[in-house]
Amino acid sequence: MCTPSPPDATQALTQPPVLLVYASHFGQAKQITLAIAEQLRQQGIAAHCMALPSGQAVQAIAGHWRAVLWIASVRYGRFAKSLAPFIHAQQAAAAQTPWGFASVSLTARKPEKRSPEAHRNTQQFLARLQQQGLQPQWAAVFPGALRYPRYGWLDKHMIGLIMRITGGVTDTRLEVEYTDWDAVRAWASQIAATLQAD
Ligand SMILES: Cc1cc2nc3c(=O)[nH]c(=O)nc-3n(C[C@H](O)[C@H](O)[C@H](O)COP(=O)(O)O)c2cc1C
């Protein structure tokens, strides 16, 4: 959990914080979340980070938030199962709260996949939400990291196979970070600018 102390005390007193919820297996989506929170803080916006709660603990995200950002990694073509229900629950409780979604994946290591429209998992996830009347104000696709030594046997071999098929790194001794941190900060900066203009 992170609660960076915002430098602009006036803003912090008059505005509720932005909530950032991450769903992360090996820490990359969490690191991206912390970088977004830090950028918001630098622009005078309070931010509160938490891991996606397990089960149906919807009360964990209850509260008055200036905006809610969901940052989730892709695992075998899917985001965390409870992600969509939590987005639904949060919007049902406070429909006026602007929200954003960022996906983290290895597919996005390819520049041509780095938009919500061009990234299949993200596009499908957002299309399903849209069918139910939910549309994010902000959406982004970020490349994650390949960390073979941290994976169990099966995952290591599965990811190795996918990397071979898609022309990626296949040396299972390696860890490779593809995240474009400038793009992460730019997304956060854009969100901060929108919130400040409201
Ligand atoms: C078991 C496993 C399955 C994965 N499946 C996918 C996938 O289907 N598509 C994809 O683009 N990336 C996939 N990835 C890559 C992850 O999305 C990427 O490593 C990301 O940085 C993980 O972020 P996290 O550490 O926050 O979970 C997979 C990684 C692992 C370990």
Side-chain angles (χ1 to χ4, degrees):
M1 186 169 291
C2 75
T3 310
S5 53
D8 182 341
T10 319
Q11 274 257 357
L13 286 173
T14 56
Q15 295 279 2
V18 171
L19 174 67
L20 297 94
V21 186
Y22 57 85
S24 178
H25 295 281
F26 291 94
Q28 200 66 16
K30 179 179 179 180
Q31 291 310 313
I32 289 171
T33 301
L34 298 184
I36 294 167
E38 178 58 19
Q39 184 63 42
L40 292 174
R41 185 182 68 79
Q42 282 185 15
Q43 292 182 231
I45 291 176
H48 178 78
C49 309
M50 65 185 290
L52 182 70
S54 55
Q56 301 296 314
V58 174
Q59 69 277 10
I61 56 160
H64 185 35
W65 306 106
R66 193 169 182 182
V68 180
L69 304 178
W70 308 89
I71 300 96
S73 62
V74 180
R75 188 176 166 89
Y76 295 127
R78 295 177 183 277
F79 299 104
K81 210 174 173 182
S82 58
L83 182 62
F86 267 95
I87 294 174
H88 275 283
Q90 190 283 321
Q91 282 291 296
Q96 77 291 349
T97 310
W99 65 280
F101 174 69
S103 70
V104 178
S105 68
L106 280 177
T107 320
R109 75 186 187 280
K110 301 187 173 184
E112 69 274 16
K113 302 284 187 191
R114 278 180 214 169
S115 74
E117 299 76 28
H119 189 266
R120 194 157 55 102
N121 298 135
T122 305
Q123 191 271 329
Q124 289 175 346
F125 181 72
L126 293 179
R128 273 197 297 276
L129 289 176
Q130 192 166 15
Q131 281 168 5
Q132 294 149 343
L134 294 175
Q135 191 164 13
Q137 186 153 345
W138 309 279
V141 171
F142 297 124
L146 179 60
R147 303 198 188 278
Y148 283 117
R150 303 189 197 190
Y151 306 155
W153 184 88
L154 184 61
D155 287 343
K156 192 182 288 192
H157 283 80
M158 291 298 287
I159 300 302
L161 183 63
I162 294 167
M163 286 296 116
R164 195 168 312 127
I165 294 167
T166 61
V169 171
T170 53
D171 185 338
T172 55
R173 294 166 300 181
L174 297 181
E175 295 204 15
V176 187
E177 186 181 76
Y178 296 98
T179 305
D180 178 346
W181 295 103
D182 286 340
V184 171
R185 285 186 286 269
W187 191 63
S189 187
Q190 179 204 335
I191 292 169
T194 314
L195 292 174
Q196 276 156 341
D198 283 348

